[in-house]
Amino acid sequence: MPTRDAAFAALVERDPQRKCEAVLAIGGAGDDAPASGFDWQRVPGRPPRPVLVHPRDVPRRSLGSADGRRALLHAVAHIEFNAINLALDAVCRFDGLPPAFYADWLSVARDEARHFRLLRARLQQLGCDYGDVPAHNGLWEAAEKTAHDVLVRMAMVPRVLEARGLDVTPGMMARVREAGDEPTLAILATILDEEVRHVAIGTRWFRHLCASRGLEPVATFRRLLGEHGVRLHPPLNLDARERAGFVPAELS
């Protein structure tokens, strides 16, 4: 099966286990053959649970309790599940890009599938499973808002939403460490380390697209932040953001 067809089959798969297996089974380095015949009404593939609610209605509990750690793990697992779909959507939705673009986002999808499986296994160790806790749809809504333009997608998803994960994960890890949950801490450390590369991939392709359109990347990024009503909220993980390709003028 052509690479992008296999990616679309994984994208529309609703069962989380089968989705991860499908992603990890995709061979090849990616191809730039035009996508055709994709039924976008089936996107994204996701299970009937978790129930999707407004962000303010997602449960928040103290990490000092077992319920609190389960709620945290579930929230991060939901982010990673959506991140699988976001990476696959980038592979399938946007035509005419170099083969390296598709290879990069397939590699991200594989990482996100591994992250999700680690988190789900930990949830199950704690007597919970993915789908047991309500979640929100903010990440996929960002995909829908940026589906019209790959440059906007690269700016607003990896360089805003995923980059925010670089900022908040260290504080999350500190609270998990205080709770003495070493297995969860190890998973979060792995995710943080690998997410730097994902944001860097977004940076690389954002700049590639700016260059191809004759746009100055810093000014373009700042303009898009304004157009989408995005403000960067400190504290920022400046070390991780620098490794992911941000420059100071993008962070002020």
Side-chain angles (χ1 to χ4, degrees), residues 105 153-163 198-199 202-203 246:
W105 289 107
R153 171 69 65 85
M154 294 297 104
M156 303 311 297
V157 174
R159 303 199 83 226
V160 171
L161 295 178
E162 292 190 72
H198 301 172
V199 179
T203 296
F246 285 90

Side-chain angles (χ1 to χ4, degrees), residues 31-166:
D31 64 65
D32 59 350
S36 61
F38 290 165
D39 179 5
W40 292 101
Q41 298 299 314
R42 299 172 62 199
V43 175
R46 56 190 174 196
R49 298 172 68 244
V51 174
L52 299 179
V53 299
H54 192 279
R56 66 171 174 265
D57 297 324
V58 176
R60 289 176 174 81
R61 300 183 178 92
S62 167
L63 287 180
S65 69
D67 281 348
R69 289 194 292 279
R70 283 192 286 265
L72 170 69
L73 277 165
H74 193 279
V76 180
H78 185 64
I79 290 169
E80 297 299 312
F81 183 83
N82 276 278
I84 300 169
N85 281 339
L86 282 163
L88 293 171
D89 188 83
V91 171
C92 298
R93 189 174 296 275
F94 302 114
D95 289 335
L97 291 154
F101 175 90
Y102 304 104
D104 273 348
W105 289 107
L106 280 172
S107 77
V108 172
R110 294 183 188 109
D111 285 350
E112 308 292 18
R114 287 191 297 101
H115 297 169
F116 176 80
R117 292 172 79 170
L118 287 170
L119 291 159
R120 189 179 191 187
R122 182 61 182 146
L123 272 173
Q124 291 169 340
Q125 290 171 353
L126 296 174
C128 186
D129 199 359
Y130 180 62
D132 289 352
V133 180
H136 68 79
N137 198 36
L139 268 176
W140 187 254
E141 289 171 356
E144 294 173 335
K145 291 175 182 176
T146 60
H148 65 290
D149 188 337
V150 63
L151 185 148
V152 179
R153 171 69 65 85
M154 294 297 104
M156 303 311 297
V157 174
R159 303 199 83 226
V160 171
L161 295 178
E162 292 190 72
R164 186 59 183 156
L166 304 182

